[in-house]
Amino acid sequence: MQVPIDVRNDQLRFDPKKNTALPSYHQLYFPAQRDRKNPYGNYYSFAEQSLSVITEEVPDELSAFTAEWHKDSPYVPVQTSGSTGTPKQFQARKEFMRQSARMTCDFFHLKHGDLILLCLPLQYIAGKMMVVRSAIAGLRIYPVKPSAHPLAAEIKPTITFAAMTPMQVYNSLQVSEERKRLRKIKKLLIGGGPLDPALEKELRKFPREIYMGYGMTETLSHIALRRINGPEASEYYTPFPTVKLSLSDEGTLVIDALLICEEILTTNDRAEIRPDGSFRILGRIDNVINSGGIKIQIEELEDTLRSVISTNFAITSVSDPQFGEAVVLLMEEEPDGKSLPLDNLPAYQRPKFVLRTEAIPLTGNGKIDRRGCKRLAMQLINR
């Protein structure tokens, strides 16, 4: 099936009346039959550029997004993750997605023919942007089914660029063969949730380029990056040159990125901005527990506890008649059932309740579901 889309002057063009592209333009199409010359499966192909697909048929999710992209509309619907609220649909402007894709491809020096790994769900912006980057730069796509172990199967060609969640990276490190495959990826982008300090320390040993991205659905993936390993490693993010940052009166990050956002965006992320424009995130303003008049940042307390808790856990809160809110440690069962050294915490940070559960609530893309944690904590306390 041929799709009327081509690239002119570095812009992706759609013409519903067009059935074929001029030879100088790049046209996206789906071959009906398997290409025997391609040992890795079918291709999504441009006339001069090819995007590899390992399955016998084009994955349904990829076909659906491609069809959505070709509709005569300037927007694409995108699902938010729902990590801090109810998941909702966001209308992303296609031209902004192209601008975002160009910035990423330029930063990572991605060029025609490079192979990228698509292992993120296509209902979220991170997965969609991988496809748009491919269309913009003429990259080849190697898609695998989104899962906690995206590198479980052997990947013969060399992956130039991949984007993964912290959970996917962590799980890949636990299996010897997957770890080897992860080390071979030339440029790895991690995003979609906080990076555990122990995991970051482990990644510093890797020989290839590894970056952490900062962004959200409304910014069409990341607007800033920080290097995890190598001499350029830093705990501060560097925004793209076209992005201007400031702080609100509440100390939250304000993003002015008119190339990818129609309006200036005030986030819920408390931040510190250095004179050179780089910044680091301190935590979300809506992830603050007010216990007895003392404000406790959930992310900061979780970072402290990661050195003493080996299982999955989350900090949340429940209503308390004395303190207003009480700190709750929600954690999955540990095999040895060992006690927790919480006495080292300041008294105001010590959880009033330590609750065990089979699994920490997560959103569809692997982030901690903060609202789900609060609901679960109330259920466990009241049962």
Side-chain angles (χ1 to χ4, degrees), residues 197-317:
L199 177 57
E200 182 169 341
K201 183 178 179 180
E202 180 69 16
L203 293 173
R204 290 179 193 148
K205 307 173 186 176
F206 273 51
R208 310 286 189 165
E209 297 178 32
I210 304 179
Y211 289 84
M212 186 73 186
Y214 172 81
M216 57 206 69
T217 302
E218 292 80 1
T219 62
L220 307 179
S221 189
H222 52 271
I223 51 91
L225 296 159
R226 69 180 180 91
R227 184 73 180 264
I228 297 299
N229 62 341
E232 300 175 4
S234 173
E235 63 175 320
Y236 287 83
Y237 292 91
T238 299
F240 287 130
T242 58
V243 176
K244 297 180 181 179
L245 302 176
S246 59
L247 295 178
S248 69
D249 292 340
E250 295 180 305
T252 59
L253 195 66
V254 178
I255 301 173
D256 183 358
L258 295 183
L259 282 180
I260 56 176
C261 290
E262 293 184 357
E263 300 178 352
I264 295 176
L265 179 64
T266 300
T267 74
N268 288 328
D269 292 323
R270 293 175 55 246
E272 171 197 343
I273 302 179
R274 297 197 298 188
D276 64 0
S278 61
F279 68 98
R280 67 188 180 106
I281 299 299
L282 305 176
R284 290 184 63 89
I285 195 171
D286 49 357
N287 285 346
V288 172
I289 299 171
N290 190 332
S291 185
I294 299 177
K295 294 182 179 180
I296 302 165
Q297 186 71 53
I298 286 179
E299 292 91 344
E300 292 179 357
L301 181 52
E302 288 177 341
D303 285 344
T304 300
L305 291 174
R306 284 192 179 96
S307 62
V308 297
I309 301 179
S310 59
T311 189
N312 294 328
F313 73 95
I315 291 293
T316 187
S317 65

